[in-house]
Amino acid sequence: MATAHTNIIKGNFVIHLKRLALMLALCLPCVVQAAFPDRPFRIIVSNPPGGPVDVMLRVLANKLAEAWNQPVVVENRPGASGIISTGALVKSPADGYNLGMVVASALTIVPFAVDHLPYDPRKDLQPVSLVARTPFLFIVRSDSPFKTWDDFVQASKQRELAVGSFTRGTAFHLIWEQTARRAGIKALYVPSSSSGKTQNDLIGGQLDIALDAPSSSQALIQAGRLRPLAITSPARFAGLPDTPTLEESGMAGYAPQPWIGLMAPAGVPADRIAFIQQSVAKILQDPAMKAQMAALGMIPIGGTPGELDATIEHDRAEMEPLIKELGIRLE
C-alpha cells in the first residue's frame, strides 16, 4: 500500500511538472516580447556622413537610445541612389532591431528609373514611421528682377529662362518638372552635381532661378546674396517664415515635399513596429527637436506606418508616368 501511495504521489508530481513546463513554454513568447528592446539597434541610411539627413538621424538616434536604454548605431551605406542601403536593409533580420532611414526617391523614383532592383520595394520593406518632410525652395539672386513667383512665371512665358538644380532623375529635377507642368511654363533645366555650384551659377548670372534645399541656401539668403521666391511646403516654413508658399503664390492645392521615412525589413511583428513608431513620434513632438529639424530644412511628422504606406503609393502613382515621359534612366 505504501508503495502504491508513493507511486501515486510521484505520478502526480510528474503531471504537475509537465503542466508547469507547458505553461512556461506558452508564456515564453510573452516574456521575450515584454523584454523588447533588450539589445542594440542599427539604422542604415543611404546618405553620407555630415549631410542634413545624417545629422537629423544621429540626433534622433541619440534620443531613441536614451528612451530605450539601448545603443542605436547609425550605419552609412551611400551609393547607387539608395539601392545599396536598401538592399542591405531588406537582407537584415526582421526583428525590429534593424531599421533604415529611407529618402523618398529610393522608393518613388529609383524603382521606375533602373532596369533591375535586387529587391521588391513593396514586398520586402515594411513602413514604420513617416519621420519628416523636406520642402524645396525656389531662389533667385538678390538683384533679380523677379520679386514674386508670378514674376518668374510670366517671364518664362515670354522668353526661355534657365533653372538650375541637382542631377536629372533626382527629387529636385522631378519636382521642377512637376511644377513646370502645373504652372504651364517651360525653362531650360541645368543639372548640377552640387548645391554650391548651382548657387554660384545663380549668383554669377548663368541661371535665372534655382531649386534648392532650405538648409543649403539659408546662409546665402541671410547674407543677402540670394532671395527666396517661394517654398513648396503647404504652410510657411518655420526656418523662413517670410517666404510665401507656392499655394499662396497662386498654385492652389500644390505642395510637393519629399519625405524621409523609417522602414524595416518585411515581417517585423506589428507590436514592435508600433513601439518604435510611438517612440519616434514622441521625440519629434519635442520643441528642441523641432527647432533642430527646422535648422536642417525639415518639417517633423512622426506619422504612422499606414500614413507612410499611403504616402509612398501616392508618390509612386505621380512619379511613374512622369519618369516614363521624361525617359529618365539611372545607371
Side-chain angles (χ1 to χ4, degrees), residues 121-139:
R122 279 179 162 154
K123 294 180 180 178
D124 296 337
L125 290 168
Q126 186 172 0
V128 178
S129 177
L130 180 58
V131 175
R133 292 279 192 176
T134 56
F136 290 163
L137 192 65
F138 283 97
I139 51 176

Side-chain angles (χ1 to χ4, degrees), residues 181-192:
R181 283 157 176 73
R182 293 271 187 139
I185 58 178
K186 290 184 178 180
L188 175 65
Y189 186 80
V190 182
S192 173

Side-chain angles (χ1 to χ4, degrees), residues 11-330:
N12 288 337
F13 180 70
V14 170
I15 290 171
H16 285 307
L17 279 178
K18 288 181 177 180
R19 286 177 178 171
L20 180 61
L22 179 60
M23 290 174 63
L24 287 172
L26 291 173
C27 288
L28 185 58
C30 302
V31 172
V32 172
Q33 180 177 333
F36 182 83
D38 62 356
R39 55 191 174 86
F41 288 78
R42 177 181 67 149
I43 304 180
I44 303 171
V45 62
S46 64
N47 302 72
V53 175
D54 175 72
V55 173
M56 179 275 291
L57 175 55
R58 290 179 186 277
V59 174
L60 178 62
N62 288 338
K63 292 183 180 294
L64 287 172
E66 292 175 6
W68 294 339
N69 198 29
Q70 294 292 337
V72 180
V73 179
V74 173
E75 183 178 312
N76 299 90
R77 299 287 294 270
S81 301
I83 295 175
I84 293 172
S85 60
T86 307
L89 177 61
V90 301
K91 292 177 183 177
S92 302
D95 53 11
Y97 292 96
N98 295 276
L99 304 167
M101 191 65 79
V102 179
V103 296
S105 58
L107 301 184
T108 62
I109 294 176
V110 173
F112 306 117
V114 298
D115 294 326
H116 174 71
L117 283 176
Y119 49 82
D120 186 323
R122 279 179 162 154
K123 294 180 180 178
D124 296 337
L125 290 168
Q126 186 172 0
V128 178
S129 177
L130 180 58
V131 175
R133 292 279 192 176
T134 56
F136 290 163
L137 192 65
F138 283 97
I139 51 176
V140 294
R141 60 184 178 275
S142 57
D143 62 349
S144 170
F146 308 141
K147 305 303 180 185
T148 66
W149 170 256
D150 189 60
D151 288 342
F152 164 68
V153 171
Q154 296 307 317
S156 71
K157 294 177 180 180
Q158 304 299 319
R159 58 188 177 89
E160 185 177 71
L161 301 178
V163 56
S165 197
F166 285 88
T167 311
R168 279 176 54 85
T170 59
F172 289 89
H173 175 220
L174 271 294
I175 283 183
W176 158 251
E177 295 288 352
Q178 190 179 61
T179 303
R181 283 157 176 73
R182 293 271 187 139
I185 58 178
K186 290 184 178 180
L188 175 65
Y189 186 80
V190 182
S192 173
S193 59
S194 72
S195 178
K197 186 178 186 310
T198 296
Q199 291 166 358
N200 287 336
D201 289 345
L202 182 60
I203 293 170
Q206 287 79 38
L207 300 172
D208 297 290
I209 193 170
L211 184 61
D212 202 3
S215 58
S216 300
S217 54
Q218 200 158 9
L220 288 173
I221 291 171
Q222 292 171 345
R225 302 188 70 190
L226 295 176
R227 181 161 44 82
L229 281 191
I231 195 163
T232 65
S233 51
R236 294 207 177 194
F237 178 56
L240 293 163
D242 296 328
T243 303
T245 66
L246 283 178
E247 201 162 13
E248 288 178 292
S249 303
M251 300 188 69
Y254 182 60
Q257 294 184 103
W259 48 264
I260 304 167
L262 198 62
M263 307 287 290
V268 177
D271 59 321
R272 295 191 175 188
I273 293 292
F275 175 84
I276 296 166
Q277 186 274 326
Q278 289 163 13
S279 298
V280 170
K282 184 177 180 180
I283 289 169
L284 295 179
Q285 291 170 2
D286 180 66
M289 187 69 185
K290 288 182 178 181
Q292 285 178 301
M293 292 184 74
L296 293 168
M298 300 176 191
I299 301 170
I301 305 295
T304 65
E307 289 170 332
L308 177 53
D309 187 56
T311 299
I312 294 170
E313 291 306 310
H314 172 272
D315 288 0
R316 284 172 62 92
E318 284 199 338
M319 288 297 158
E320 182 179 11
L322 184 57
I323 291 166
K324 289 180 177 178
E325 177 191 337
L326 296 169
I328 293 172
R329 306 307 299 165
L330 299 175

